């Protein structure tokens, strides 16, 4: 089976680029900066052998002018050209004169950054003796913030992504006396400074060419990482001008591929980004001035995972190149090119390749591997991610952000659509889509990514995901990360096969099912529908076509507050509530039955009343849960409770109450045996496993109720295991594989 993977994009629109500016003065300017020196060009002979070329070199930017990244080249030239333009001093002014002018005008530098550009601008402000204020997006880690602050800048953490932080920095710069916005991203009305920043990066290319010339070599391919596209723009302008015929390959994170997607679309487009260790490349929109040149000058474009960057870092470290995630990206892309089955014509045995390692070693969390398509491995990985529901218990829960990031990255690694839905901050759901080849029936695979508290899993490490004796252990492995893993694996298998279904396959990995099911509600509200759905909750591979719903009521029984010594004045609401409880017990005996679900039920979940022992309580509130069958609705139960309370009041003196109120409800789910999807699914199970159980009902509730209510026929089917919400949870590896196979068959059979 071939691995479904977003392919390398090879560009057929390549042409030469005219560069009008004299860039020789840029390197002359940089030579004025303290401690200027060329950065190393390191040979990687075994990479050259693997790639089948003459030489591979890495341009090591781990120490550029005392900073661990190349960004100071653009930040210095761009900020100084901007100061020259703002103050009116001569263009050929010395660094000292530029500093004096900036200080005299009270200039304050502003920018937005995920790390290295902000730190570089802060360092340049320090050299010039002026202030810098840096805005960072919400995803930036504490270490990056500390490093920017260490250069003397004031750092503001935005609640938004990179583009949002940039908007905030722009607004504040325009409101501040002497404010000067120095950003490497161009937009309408802001083009000059980003152009100068691109020019600043030309020093890196000139140096590389000089270093190769000393070995009587010329570059045939540059591999450059991409954020907003400024460095890549500099590379393209260098490689496609002045008679050079050097190929360019770009690389981006899987989850922030704005250039890749723009090249494929043939126009600039923005993408939604999420966390990546390659923080400096975590940009959703290209600089507005770069796309035309990049479209004409980037020969190949690839995207990589955080884990692939991490592996490249490990290799480069062994070669004494101390690099960070953005620095490892170019090598990871080159490895992708080495494994490409169709070798591009511009890559020959005589080629000299230069990869740009753009930053030094920095702290980052070891990323999880998104390459796995095995459902058991995926279950283990997902189990190892803490996604405990933060609203379910007194124990603080981690929420779903980390597991949503993983699933989103896994989908985008394969070029599948991934949609981030986050109505409530910190509680995201992911919708992944494998598009069908034509307009066939669509199928949703729904599963929740939250778990109950880790504290209740007391047998071993709740996040171990350990596979032992055919069982995976850990909190949520059964409920229900195995179901999510099976759905992901089935989509990957279908995507890599020649049997692409006609209809769409939709993975809804939803938050909050363990509490209020806000995730599935948000997915439905966002407009996601399907012709049918499978909810992969653990059913021991039973085919569950119906389950109960529930309604929560609060009922206030009213008394009269008084001192405990004044019975003639007080009315005891707590004792009067006993009449209500007795009546509810009797009512429960006559509640309706439903096929496969049995009798509806109720129980008292909570009772609250009184202030202290020495006083008559003025109110007692009884919370009652009804587990409902299709014949019952919140409205019918409200009417029944109203009659029950009225009858009590007629018989019991002083019995008063407030009207019962519904505080939460969820509908039951029920599909008839002759439903088209039920029959189709039974057939798929039989075809896959050689046997199929009869449809069954369950007393639990799950998101199938919401899906059926929305008009999406839904069946619950998932793996075998034990310990849901208990102290030792496990799921059968064999069962996970069988469920995955059933899902694969169902997709091919139903989505015709």
């Amino acid at each position: 089976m071939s691995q479904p993977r977003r392919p390398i994009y090879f560009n057929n629109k390549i042409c030469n680029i005219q560069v009008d500016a004299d860039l020789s003065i840029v390197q002359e300017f940089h030579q004025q900066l303290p401690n200027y020196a060329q950065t190393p060009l390191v040979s990687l002979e075994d990479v050259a052998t693997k790639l089948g070329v003459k030489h591979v070199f890495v341009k090591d930017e781990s120490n550029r002018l005392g900073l661990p990244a190349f960004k100071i080249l653009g930040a210095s030239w761009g900020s100084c050209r901007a100061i020259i333009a703002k103050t009116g001093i001569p263009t050929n002014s010395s660094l000292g004169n530029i500093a004096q002018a900036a200080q005299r005008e009270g200039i304050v530098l502003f920018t937005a950054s995920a790390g290295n550009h902000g730190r570089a601008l802060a360092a340049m402000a320090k050299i010039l003796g002026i202030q810098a204020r840096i805005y960072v997006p919400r995803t930036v880690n504490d270490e990056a913030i500390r490093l920017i602050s260490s250069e003397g800048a004031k750092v503001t953490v935005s609640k938004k992504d990179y583009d949002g932080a940039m908007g905030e920095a722009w607004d504040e710069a325009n409101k501040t006396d002497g404010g000067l916005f120095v950003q490497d991203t161009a937009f309408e009305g802001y083009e000059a400074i980003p152009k100068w920043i691109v020019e600043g990066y030309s020093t890196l290319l000139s140096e590389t060419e000089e270093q190769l010339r000393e070995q009587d070599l010329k570059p045939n391919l540059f591999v450059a990482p991409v954020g907003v596209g400024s460095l890549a723009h500099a590379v393209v302008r260098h490689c496609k001008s002045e008679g050079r015929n050097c190929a360019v390959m770009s690389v981006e994170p899987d989850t922030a591929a704005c250039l890749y997607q723009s090249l494929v679309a043939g126009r600039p487009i923005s993408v939604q980004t999420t966390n990546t260790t390659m923080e400096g490349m975590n940009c959703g929109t290209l600089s507005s001035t770069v796309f035309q040149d990049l479209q004409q000058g980037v020969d190949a474009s690839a995207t990589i995972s955080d884990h692939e960057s991490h592996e490249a870092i490990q290799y480069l470290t062994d070669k004494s190149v101390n690099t960070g995630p953005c620095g490892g990206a170019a090598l990871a892309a080159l490895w992708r090119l080495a494994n490409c089955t169709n070798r591009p014509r511009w890559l020959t045995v005589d080629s000299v390749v230069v990869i740009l390692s753009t930053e030094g070693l920095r702290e980052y969390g070891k990323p999880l591997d998104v390459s796995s398509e095995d459902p058991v491995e995926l279950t283990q990985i997902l189990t190892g991610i803490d996604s405990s529901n933060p609203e379910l218990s007194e124990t603080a829960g981690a929420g779903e952000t980390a597991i949503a990031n993983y699933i989103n990255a896994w989908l985008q690694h394969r070029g599948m659509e991934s949609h981030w839905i986050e109505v409530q901050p910190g509680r995201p759901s992911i919708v992944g889509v494998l598009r069908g080849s034509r307009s066939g029936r669509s199928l949703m695979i729904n599963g929740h990514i939250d778990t109950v508290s880790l504290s209740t899993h007391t047998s071993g490490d709740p996040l171990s995901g350990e596979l032992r004796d055919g069982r995976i252990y850990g909190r949520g492995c059964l409920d229900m990360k195995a179901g999510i893993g099976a759905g992901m694996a089935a989509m990957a298998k279908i995507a890599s096969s020649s049997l692409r279904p006609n209809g769409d396959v939709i993975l809804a990995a939803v938050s909050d099912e363990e509490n209020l099911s806000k995730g599935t509600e948000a997915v439905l509200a966002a407009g996601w529908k399907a012709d049918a759905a499978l909810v992969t909750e653990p059913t021991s591979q039973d085919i569950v076509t119906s389950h109960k719903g529930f309604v929560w009521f609060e009922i206030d029984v009213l008394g009269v507050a008084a001192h405990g010594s004044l019975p003639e004045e007080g009315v005891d609401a707590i004792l009067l509530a006993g009449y209500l409880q007795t009546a509810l017990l009797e009512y429960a005996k006559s509640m309706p039955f439903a096929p496969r679900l049995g009798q509806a039920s109720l129980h008292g979940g909570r009772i609250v009343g009184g202030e202290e022992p020495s006083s008559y309580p003025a109110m007692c509130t009884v919370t009652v849960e009804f587990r409902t069958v299709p014949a019952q609705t919140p409205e019918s139960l409200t009417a029944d409770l109203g009659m029950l309370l009225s009858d009590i009041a007629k018989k019991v003196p002083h019995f008063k109450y407030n009207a019962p109120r519904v505080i939460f409800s969820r509908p039951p789910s029920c599909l008839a045996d002759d439903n088209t999807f039920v029959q189709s699914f039974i057939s798929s199970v039989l075809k896959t496993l050689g046997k199929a159980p009869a449809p069954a009902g369950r007393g639990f509730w799950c998101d199938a109720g919401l899906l059926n209510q929305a008009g999406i026929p839904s069946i619950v089917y998932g793996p075998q295991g034990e310990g849901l919400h208990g102290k030792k949870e496990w799921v059968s590896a064999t069962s996970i594989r069988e469920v995955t196979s059933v899902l694969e068959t169902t997709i091919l059979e139903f989505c015709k």
Side-chain angles (χ1 to χ4, degrees):
M1 180 185 72
S2 62
Q3 186 180 74
R5 176 74 191 274
R6 181 184 281 154
I8 296 174
Y9 175 82
F10 291 101
N11 192 2
N12 59 8
K13 299 181 176 66
I14 300 301
C15 62
N16 291 330
I17 296 171
Q18 182 67 36
V19 178
D20 299 323
D22 178 11
L23 299 181
S24 63
I25 62 172
V26 179
Q27 193 168 8
E28 293 173 4
F29 164 80
H30 284 138
Q31 289 170 353
Q32 299 179 59
L33 295 175
N35 302 314
Y36 171 80
Q38 288 187 345
T39 54
L41 192 66
V42 180
S43 178
L44 304 177
E45 295 181 5
D46 47 350
V47 176
T49 300
K50 179 178 180 180
L51 188 62
V53 297
K54 188 174 185 178
H55 292 291
V56 172
F57 295 96
V58 56
K59 181 67 168 169
D60 179 4
E61 292 291 310
S62 60
N63 184 5
R64 170 68 75 171
L65 294 166
L67 293 175
F70 75 104
K71 290 284 190 175
I72 187 67
L73 295 174
S76 59
W77 179 250
S79 60
C80 286
R81 283 299 308 269
I83 291 168
I84 289 170
K86 189 175 180 69
T87 60
I89 62 175
T91 302
N92 61 351
S93 295
S94 69
L95 185 63
N97 289 340
I98 295 170
Q100 290 175 5
Q103 294 167 21
R104 185 171 59 248
E105 296 291 330
I107 287 177
V108 181
L109 302 182
F110 284 82
T111 197
S113 173
N116 288 321
H117 171 69
R119 187 178 180 187
L121 193 69
M124 195 62 207
K126 183 190 293 184
I127 291 171
L128 296 170
I130 59 178
Q131 297 179 21
R133 299 180 186 173
I134 315 299
Y135 285 69
V136 300
R138 62 174 182 253
T139 55
V140 170
N141 63 39
D142 292 340
E143 177 65 7
I145 294 170
R146 185 191 69 78
L147 290 171
I148 295 171
S149 300
S150 72
E151 302 295 338
K154 177 183 177 182
V155 179
T156 300
V157 180
S158 172
K159 295 181 180 178
K160 301 178 181 179
D161 60 7
Y162 176 84
D163 293 345
M166 187 171 65
E168 292 175 350
W170 166 259
D171 290 342
E172 196 61 32
N174 289 325
K175 292 189 296 185
T176 302
D177 290 340
L180 183 56
F181 184 65
V182 181
Q183 193 72 41
D184 55 358
T185 306
F187 48 86
E188 186 175 353
Y190 183 78
E191 289 90 12
I193 294 174
K195 178 184 176 182
W196 292 328
I197 290 175
V198 170
E199 289 178 357
Y201 298 148
S202 66
T203 293
L204 186 157
L205 286 311
S206 299
E207 282 183 7
T208 304
E209 208 163 57
E210 292 169 7
Q211 291 167 310
L212 289 173
R213 195 179 301 123
E214 292 172 359
Q215 303 180 54
D216 198 25
L217 298 172
K218 290 183 179 181
N220 303 105
L221 170 65
F222 271 92
V223 186
V226 175
V228 297
S230 296
L231 175 61
H233 195 195
V235 173
V236 161
R237 283 163 58 88
H238 181 86
C239 291
K240 304 299 183 184
S241 65
E242 300 181 10
R244 300 182 186 91
N245 188 25
C246 182
V248 178
M249 182 178 189
S250 67
V251 57
E252 297 168 278
D254 288 331
T255 55
C258 57
L259 174 59
Y260 181 98
Q261 300 286 23
S262 296
L263 290 172
V264 171
R267 57 183 176 82
I269 61 172
S270 295
V271 299
Q272 186 178 20
T273 66
T274 54
N275 280 14
T276 170
T277 58
M278 295 172 274
E279 290 176 342
M281 301 161 65
N282 193 15
C283 306
T285 303
L286 291 170
S287 178
S288 66
T289 56
V290 305
F291 180 68
Q292 183 176 350
D293 284 352
L294 295 182
Q295 188 179 38
Q296 295 174 351
V298 171
D299 297 80
S301 178
T303 72
I304 61 165
S305 70
D306 287 2
H307 191 263
E308 288 171 314
S309 171
H310 173 72
E311 290 181 320
I313 290 169
Q314 303 304 109
Y315 171 86
L316 289 170
T317 299
D318 289 342
K319 301 298 179 181
S320 300
V321 178
N322 295 319
T323 187
C326 294
L331 177 57
L334 193 62
W335 282 341
R336 286 211 61 196
L337 189 62
N339 294 324
C340 185
T341 53
N342 297 318
R343 191 177 183 88
R345 57 178 175 75
W346 37 260
L347 192 68
T348 71
V349 293
D350 295 320
S351 291
V352 175
V353 180
V354 178
I355 61 176
L356 303 182
S357 175
T358 53
E359 68 174 354
L361 186 65
R362 60 176 171 83
E363 292 183 7
Y364 64 95
K366 183 179 178 181
L368 296 171
D369 189 359
V370 294
S371 67
S372 178
E373 296 167 5
D374 180 87
V376 173
E377 290 180 0
L378 284 169
T379 299
Q380 291 181 274
I381 292 169
L382 295 174
T383 301
I385 303 172
D386 183 0
S387 58
S388 49
N389 194 306
E391 298 178 0
L392 196 61
S393 69
E394 294 182 0
T395 304
E400 297 90 351
T401 299
I403 194 169
N405 275 323
Y406 179 82
I407 296 171
N408 170 66
W410 186 92
L411 290 163
Q412 297 214 42
H413 187 68
R414 288 155 179 77
M416 296 185 198
E417 288 180 37
S418 182
H419 303 267
W420 187 283
I421 299 175
E422 188 171 0
V423 176
Q424 180 182 352
R427 310 299 307 279
S429 299
I430 298 294
V431 174
V433 186
L434 174 63
R435 292 293 178 185
S437 57
R438 291 188 295 277
S439 56
R441 293 182 298 189
S442 58
L443 178 69
M444 177 184 289
I445 300 172
N446 176 286
H448 65 85
I449 54 179
D450 64 321
T451 72
V452 296
S453 171
L454 302 185
S455 63
T456 55
H457 193 287
T458 57
S459 178
D461 179 4
L463 298 176
S464 72
E466 179 188 6
L467 176 61
R468 186 174 72 252
D469 299 328
R471 296 175 175 181
I472 298 171
Y473 292 86
R475 173 56 72 225
C477 63
L478 177 63
D479 187 19
M480 60 168 294
K481 292 177 178 180
I484 293 288
M488 293 164 66
M491 289 179 71
K493 178 70 175 293
I494 297 297
S496 64
S497 74
S498 59
L499 302 174
R500 182 65 66 92
N502 291 330
D504 297 341
V505 184
I506 302 167
L507 175 72
V510 299
S511 62
D512 195 53
E513 191 274 347
E514 293 288 5
N515 190 29
L516 301 178
S517 291
K518 296 174 185 175
T520 290
E521 277 190 333
V523 167
L524 292 171
W528 290 100
K529 304 290 184 182
D531 292 305
L534 283 172
V535 180
T536 52
E537 289 270 13
T539 65
S540 293
Q541 294 183 241
D542 287 338
I543 301 173
V544 176
T545 57
S546 55
H547 66 64
K548 288 182 178 180
F550 64 90
V551 185
W552 296 344
F553 280 95
E554 283 185 349
I555 307 168
D556 299 329
V557 178
L558 305 178
V560 177
H563 193 279
S565 65
L566 300 172
E568 66 280 3
E569 296 181 12
V571 177
D572 191 332
I574 291 177
L575 295 183
L576 286 174
Y579 291 101
L580 170 61
Q581 297 168 55
T582 300
L584 287 170
L585 287 170
E586 288 300 313
Y587 174 82
K589 296 176 182 178
S590 61
M591 291 177 74
F593 284 79
R596 298 201 178 97
L597 295 178
Q599 187 178 25
S601 63
L602 65 82
H603 70 273
R606 192 164 181 257
I607 186 165
V608 178
E611 300 294 335
E612 61 274 323
S614 62
S615 298
Y616 278 80
M619 187 167 68
C620 179
T621 300
V622 180
T623 303
V624 183
E625 179 184 75
F626 288 80
R627 286 284 167 165
T628 59
V629 296
Q632 298 170 298
T633 66
E635 294 75 19
S636 69
L637 290 171
T638 299
D640 286 354
L641 285 175
M643 292 177 60
L644 182 147
L645 289 162
S646 177
D647 288 344
I648 297 172
K650 290 175 184 177
K651 300 173 184 177
V652 179
H654 306 299
F655 186 88
K656 295 182 180 180
Y657 57 91
N658 290 327
R661 55 190 178 275
V662 176
I663 58 172
F664 195 69
S665 68
R666 288 299 186 210
S669 180
C670 186
L671 292 182
D673 288 358
D674 60 357
N675 178 275
T676 301
F677 181 52
V678 172
Q679 291 301 309
S680 174
F681 184 68
I682 292 173
S683 174
S684 294
V685 175
L686 184 61
K687 182 176 181 179
T688 307
L689 304 179
K691 59 181 179 179
R698 289 290 185 271
F700 59 64
W701 188 88
C702 72
D703 282 350
L706 287 178
L707 297 170
N708 269 317
Q709 187 182 51
I712 304 172
S714 301
I715 294 171
V716 189
Y717 180 81
Q720 301 172 9
E722 291 181 4
L724 281 77
H725 301 199
K727 66 180 183 180
K728 186 177 183 180
E729 185 174 355
W730 62 267
V731 61
S732 161
T734 299
S735 182
I736 294 172
R737 296 193 188 282
E738 289 184 354
V739 169
T740 304
S741 297
V742 168
L743 295 180
E744 293 167 12
T745 304
T746 303
I747 291 168
L748 295 174
E749 294 295 315
F750 184 78
C751 299
K752 292 181 178 179

